[in-house]
Amino acid sequence: MPRCWLDDLGLSQRFFTILGGDLLGKGRAKPAPDLLLEMQRLGGGGRCVYVGDTTFDSGAAKAAEFLCVAVSFGYNDVPVAELETAAVIDHFDELVPVLEGL
């Protein structure tokens, strides 16, 4: 696997797989569901929840038929309340309890 900034932070080993937006080729980036579905396939299938902060993220999750949890911080190209999501969190500490409730 090519070196990435997650390596520099010592975080790469915390992920089963890491995929870049350009992996699948032109026209298959978010909000198309292709990258999310590939992540699901590589992870062995099962239930997925996507965490994001843009309309591209919530759109890709919807297209892939995944639940989406939005973060109130980050890029946010529209107000987070306007994103179609299952939940909104203000800090990553809230993520696990929210996931357990979905």
Side-chain angles (χ1 to χ4, degrees), residues 36-88:
L36 279 68
L37 294 171
E38 182 67 5
M39 287 187 285
Q40 182 183 39
R41 184 187 72 77
L42 290 171
R47 188 170 179 215
C48 295
V49 176
Y50 191 74
V51 179
D53 63 353
T54 69
T55 54
F56 297 108
D57 296 332
S58 60
K62 184 176 182 177
E65 299 181 1
F66 292 3
L67 292 175
C68 184
V69 173
V71 298
S72 63
F73 51 92
Y75 178 67
N76 293 325
D77 55 334
V78 300
V80 71
E82 293 180 19
L83 297 175
E84 294 182 46
T85 62
V88 175

Side-chain angles (χ1 to χ4, degrees), residues 18-41:
I18 300 169
L19 304 178
D22 60 349
L23 175 77
L24 300 176
K26 187 174 180 177
R28 298 180 69 190
K30 297 180 297 183
D34 302 39
L35 192 60
L36 279 68
L37 294 171
E38 182 67 5
M39 287 187 285
Q40 182 183 39
R41 184 187 72 77

